[in-house]
Amino acid sequence: MDNSTLFLTVFLTGLVLFIGGAGISLLLAPRSNNDQKGEPYECGIPTRGSSWIQFKTGYYLYAILYLMFDVETLFLFPWATVVRTLGWAGIISIVFFIAVLALGLAYAWRKNVLKWE
């Protein structure tokens, strides 16, 4: 089996499973239409007063930095599986990748983004 046939088989299998699962869910899921479903609340507790609360920007920056470094470290796993076949070019590229990450972390540290106040 060549690569294009394998890709097509996996793609079509995934598509059939997705459409089948969504279709079965639409057919078998219980339906309930009432006024409470349209109300904005979380965890079954209605909100009291205004739900618009301002948060410090630092919390968002901290979360974005965490997600950025977390996702970028996921790129190391595929590299680690083929590092022997890549040779020195692969090692140099990953050192460059980690250096860019370190520069981003140093920049965030210098701008005091990582201080939790």
Side-chain angles (χ1 to χ4, degrees):
M1 188 182 293
D2 60 344
N3 287 339
S4 60
T5 308
L6 180 63
F7 174 76
L8 188 63
T9 304
V10 170
F11 180 76
L12 289 177
T13 303
L15 191 65
V16 166
L17 287 174
F18 171 74
I19 292 173
I24 289 172
S25 173
L26 285 174
L27 290 175
L28 300 179
R31 290 180 181 83
S32 171
N33 295 327
N34 56 31
D35 294 335
Q36 288 183 343
K37 288 184 82 172
E39 291 184 12
Y41 60 87
E42 290 184 20
C43 303
I45 302 171
T47 57
R48 293 184 207 153
S50 176
S51 59
W52 292 98
I53 301 170
Q54 291 184 349
F55 292 99
K56 290 183 179 179
T57 311
Y59 298 141
Y60 295 114
L61 292 174
Y62 198 81
I64 288 171
L65 279 172
Y66 173 76
L67 287 174
M68 182 180 70
F69 285 107
D70 187 43
V71 169
E72 287 179 350
T73 53
L74 286 176
F75 289 129
L76 295 175
F77 289 111
W79 171 82
T81 59
V82 295
V83 66
R84 291 182 190 221
T85 59
L86 294 176
W88 282 105
I91 292 174
I92 290 170
S93 65
I94 205 65
V95 166
F96 180 73
F97 179 75
I98 292 173
V100 170
L101 286 179
L103 284 174
L105 181 61
Y107 178 76
W109 201 329
R110 178 99 169 126
K111 292 290 184 179
N112 292 329
V113 174
L114 300 176
K115 286 190 178 180
W116 193 266
E117 295 176 358

